[in-house]
Structures are given as structure tokens and as C-alpha cells.
Amino acid sequence: MAAKFILLLIISLIVLVFAIIILTGKSDNLIAGYNTSTEEEKEKYNIKRVRICIGGMLLILSPIMLMFADNFIILIAIVPPLSILSVILTNTWAKK
């Protein structure tokens, strides 16, 4: 039990660090899909809003992982809808 919580704590801290890095704008190449896009495709998106969508999702995900460390089924039920919401927001709200 303690080993599982420690593992989720480490993963949660890593996710939190990535969220902070993305939200501060230090590493846009960590955003999947954006880093492989051509310059024409990158021009279609407001990068500040993309950072908010992706970094915000990671920022929300980090404490959720710790809150539901004991109940993995709830964690699996929360993460996919949160990811889908982030993708939808990035492709609607973050477009220029």
C-alpha cells in the first residue's frame, strides 16, 4: 500500500513539474503534436492558450492522482474525460 502511494506521489510530482514548465512557456516542445507541427500549422494556434489548456490539465491531474491513489478505478474513470476535454479545448478555444 505504501509503495503504491509513494510511486503515485513521485509520478504526481513529475506531472506537476511538467505542468509548471509548460505554463511558464519554457518548453513548448513538450506539448505533443505541437512540436511536430509545421510552422503553418503552428500559426493556427494561440500558443499561450495551448499552454493554458495542456498545463492546466496537468496541474489538475497532479492532485487528482493523489486523492484517488487508493481507488484506481475512479482514477481511470477521471483521467480520460479530462484528457478529452483538454484536447477539445485546445482545438477550439486555442485556435486563432
Side-chain angles (χ1 to χ4, degrees), residues 21-95:
I21 290 171
I22 289 172
L23 285 172
T24 57
K26 300 293 181 189
S27 188
D28 293 335
N29 61 348
L30 290 176
I31 300 172
Y34 188 79
N35 61 346
T36 58
S37 299
T38 63
E39 290 300 321
E40 296 168 350
E41 291 174 346
K42 287 180 182 180
E43 289 296 321
K44 295 178 184 177
Y45 291 92
N46 184 341
I47 187 60
K48 291 180 181 179
R49 287 184 175 185
V50 171
R51 287 181 197 139
I52 291 171
C53 289
I54 302 302
M57 187 262 306
L58 292 175
L59 202 60
I60 292 169
L61 183 63
S62 180
I64 286 176
M65 288 171 47
L66 293 178
M67 285 190 303
F68 297 109
D70 292 337
N71 199 341
F72 194 68
I73 302 220
I74 292 177
L75 187 62
I76 290 175
I78 292 175
V79 172
L82 185 62
S83 300
I84 291 169
L85 178 65
S86 176
V87 169
I88 290 170
L89 280 175
T90 302
N91 285 309
T92 56
W93 180 66
K95 278 198 172 180

